[in-house]
Amino acid sequence: LQPTVLFLCPQDLYTAPDSCEGRCEEPYNEDDECHCNPECERHRSCCEDYETYCSPEGFSSSRDAITDQDLVHVSEQLYEADRNRAQPTDITINPQHQASPERTGDQEDHSPEPLFQYVNEKLFSKPTYASFIKLLDNYQRATGREEDVTAEELKEQDNFLREVMKTELMKKLFTFLHEKNRYDSEQEFVADLKEMWFGLYSRGNGEQDSSGFEHVFSGEVKKGKVSGFHNWIRFYLLEKQGLVDYFSYSYDGPWNTYPDVLGMQFNWDGFYKEVGSAFIGSSPEFEFGLYSLCFIARPGRACHLSLGGHPLSIQTYTWTKSTYGNGRNYIATAYVISP
């Protein structure tokens, strides 16, 4: 008898670790890069092609799926509910020089004046603003240096979450996610927000040196460059202290009221940010809620929303090197995509 020789293509022998092809309904395994079981959407751990391969029987094909149309609708609701946003008379900005996309990396200060000419600081006495600002000095900006979280800082995290959850905006967000079967109770939602945003992980040297909140709202420095830092309140407070030098803007959104969106270049105490997109004049709960929505609904992908009739996209990324709970991902970053 002649032996039968079978020639198998590599793809017949190997399932891509970042794909759901052939893996639908596969049991959860913490060693997998991403997952394809029906619970993965709830845990924000699905492979990017989960819907392509698994949606007919999977979680995302049911009434619990969050469609693009749902995102447009709920984002308009959140925009409308942002009662604590700045009014047009609360902020005056002076964008000055517009840099072309190919010139954002030249590190030249084309704008001699500060970005913020005026901010009505009465805004900062509102409970969500005040509790947000208290969080900003809790971090060492350099990656690779262990964060020392004190009992007082943990209380500040809880206080911020408590204050934002009192707002109509965050209540609407919870109602939406509850109806989509992502959370059974507000308590579960708040506990998950605390972990996804404030849970620590390592960006460098194995130290517990970073969190989603620190990266997105407070800003970090990694390899000599500004990393994250997408918040107007943080920017204003540091600019006022002379620690941020505004250079130019590369994108100004179509909104004629607040929140607006600005893509900008700046220097933070000697470190450069080539393109830092930020909402201008939004409340802390608006940014926190919108980024959370997109991280839960479209982790690792562009999340297409609408604010006041204008399209807007937010990009989030998951931190894949460590997880919490039953394989849930931390936030690596979240920001507005500025064209």
Side-chain angles (χ1 to χ4, degrees):
L1 280 172
Q2 288 288 102
T4 302
V5 179
L6 292 175
F7 292 96
L8 296 176
C9 296
Q11 59 262 37
D12 295 328
L13 301 170
Y14 175 72
T15 301
D18 58 352
S19 172
C20 280
E21 186 173 8
R23 291 178 57 203
C24 297
E25 306 290 329
E26 184 179 79
Y28 171 78
N29 183 330
E30 65 178 16
D31 294 327
D32 289 338
E33 284 186 28
C34 56
H35 306 285
C36 306
N37 58 316
E39 282 293 289
C40 70
E41 286 211 25
R42 186 172 180 135
H43 293 149
R44 301 179 303 280
S45 61
C46 297
C47 300
E48 285 199 20
D49 59 8
Y50 173 72
E51 291 185 30
T52 303
Y53 289 109
C54 307
S55 61
E57 297 83 30
F59 184 81
S60 61
S61 68
S62 72
R63 61 184 175 80
D64 296 332
I66 297 176
T67 66
D68 287 350
Q69 192 174 2
D70 288 334
L71 288 171
V72 166
H73 181 67
V74 74
S75 57
E76 285 289 6
Q77 283 191 322
L78 301 184
Y79 179 75
E80 185 66 28
D82 189 14
R83 310 289 177 212
N84 287 328
R85 73 177 75 171
Q87 297 305 305
T89 53
D90 287 330
I91 298 176
T92 306
I93 61 170
N94 182 16
Q96 300 165 80
H97 179 78
Q98 182 167 11
S100 59
E102 60 272 11
R103 299 302 300 272
T104 58
D106 65 10
Q107 301 196 35
E108 289 183 31
D109 187 355
H110 297 287
S111 303
E113 301 296 320
L115 173 62
F116 286 94
Q117 285 190 321
Y118 169 75
V119 172
N120 177 8
E121 293 195 9
K122 287 182 180 176
L123 282 171
F124 300 160
S125 63
K126 292 173 182 273
T128 57
Y129 284 81
S131 58
F132 173 81
I133 289 168
K134 281 194 172 181
L135 294 168
L136 295 175
D137 64 357
N138 290 354
Y139 301 101
Q140 301 184 68
R141 68 182 180 186
T143 57
R145 293 175 62 185
E146 183 96 17
E147 292 291 346
D148 179 24
V149 184
T150 66
E152 180 65 25
E153 289 169 356
L154 288 171
K155 279 173 61 179
E156 289 174 357
Q157 294 172 11
D158 288 335
N159 187 49
F160 171 70
L161 291 167
R162 190 161 48 245
E163 292 299 340
V164 296
M165 287 309 300
K166 291 177 185 175
T167 65
E168 179 189 349
L169 187 151
M170 289 297 288
K171 288 188 181 300
K172 281 185 182 292
L173 176 59
F174 168 69
T175 298
F176 172 76
L177 294 170
H178 177 61
E179 287 172 352
K180 292 295 183 178
N181 199 29
R182 295 308 192 274
Y183 299 98
D184 293 330
S185 67
E186 190 172 304
Q187 184 180 7
E188 183 193 354
F189 178 46
V190 173
D192 196 37
L193 288 174
K194 184 170 183 178
E195 285 294 335
M196 75 168 80
W197 280 105
F198 295 105
L200 292 173
Y201 49 79
S202 174
R203 283 186 195 261
N205 301 339
E207 305 286 351
Q208 296 290 91
D209 63 346
S210 188
S211 68
F213 187 92
E214 177 186 6
H215 182 85
V216 172
F217 294 107
S218 186
E220 297 181 294
V221 171
K222 185 175 184 180
K223 297 181 180 175
K225 291 184 177 180
V226 177
S227 181
F229 197 147
H230 299 286
N231 179 254
W232 75 271
I233 300 169
R234 173 71 162 164
F235 189 100
Y236 166 74
L237 293 172
L238 289 176
E239 187 178 61
K240 187 180 171 186
Q241 294 174 50
L243 296 174
V244 160
D245 185 7
Y246 169 74
F247 279 19
S248 58
Y249 75 98
S250 48
Y251 171 75
D252 187 2
W255 295 270
N256 55 14
T257 184
Y258 298 116
D260 198 356
V261 174
L262 204 64
M264 52 194 167
Q265 293 67 55
F266 59 91
N267 190 297
W268 177 20
D269 199 19
F271 301 97
Y272 187 62
K273 181 73 174 181
E274 186 171 334
V275 180
S277 60
F279 287 106
I280 307 290
S282 56
S283 69
E285 62 266 28
F286 178 79
E287 292 178 62
F288 190 72
L290 226 57
Y291 291 148
S292 299
L293 168 67
C294 283
F295 185 66
I296 292 162
R298 298 288 185 271
R301 285 173 280 167
C303 174
H304 304 302
L305 311 175
S306 178
L307 304 182
H310 296 288
L312 171 113
S313 297
I314 285 171
Q315 178 72 49
T316 65
Y317 287 102
T318 60
W319 186 255
T320 57
K321 296 176 185 176
S322 54
T323 59
Y324 66 90
N326 182 19
R328 293 193 177 201
N329 289 119
Y330 297 105
I331 292 175
T333 192
Y335 55 88
V336 182
I337 301 172
S338 54

